[in-house]
Amino acid sequence: DKHCILDVSGNAIKRLQAARIYPIAVFVRPRDTDFIMSVNRKMTEEQARKSWERACRLENEFFEYFTAIVEGDNIDSIYEKVKQIILDNSSKNIWVPSNENF
């Protein structure tokens, strides 16, 4: 199986679900600003703080639309967790009403 990984907004996930398209939506929660800066070394402390605050708002606003939320000590551990979530959720059947026109 192949999966496409996209970076999309919370509103995009919400619209997909409203259209009865159910993506595997994984939110990667940054641990703190230091973690953000370790991932993007060009980022200043102020930029990392704003990014962390934006992530917190996104998680609070769209929590119910995420399949899972992952956090990790490094990119490799996050990658492994995301892979497992995709594997766990890609075999699930999703039922939709038969009167839907697709």
Side-chain angles (χ1 to χ4, degrees):
D1 286 339
K2 293 185 180 185
H3 296 275
C4 179
I5 297 178
L6 302 172
D7 181 7
V8 298
S9 71
N11 279 319
I13 298 166
K14 186 177 178 179
R15 283 192 306 274
L16 285 169
Q17 289 184 5
R20 297 194 175 169
I21 299 170
Y22 302 99
I24 300 170
V26 181
F27 179 74
V28 178
R29 177 192 295 146
R31 217 180 39 239
D32 53 27
T33 56
D34 290 336
F35 179 78
I36 294 170
M37 290 174 57
S38 74
V39 173
N40 184 348
R41 299 199 186 278
K42 294 180 182 180
M43 196 173 269
T44 65
E45 270 188 53
E46 179 64 18
Q47 290 169 325
R49 184 186 60 75
K50 287 180 180 179
S51 181
W52 187 77
E53 289 172 355
R54 191 169 39 253
C56 291
R57 282 192 307 274
L58 181 67
E59 181 180 2
N60 287 333
E61 187 173 347
F62 296 101
F63 176 83
E64 66 194 86
Y65 299 101
F66 299 136
T67 306
I69 296 174
V70 299
E71 192 174 53
D73 294 328
N74 56 53
I75 293 296
D76 292 334
S77 69
I78 291 170
Y79 173 71
E80 290 303 320
K81 290 176 184 178
V82 170
K83 259 188 2 183
Q84 190 59 53
I85 290 164
I86 291 170
L87 285 172
D88 292 346
N89 286 276
S90 60
S91 62
K92 291 183 178 177
N93 291 326
I94 298 174
W95 297 94
V96 294
S98 62
N99 61 351
E100 292 292 324
N101 295 324
F102 291 100

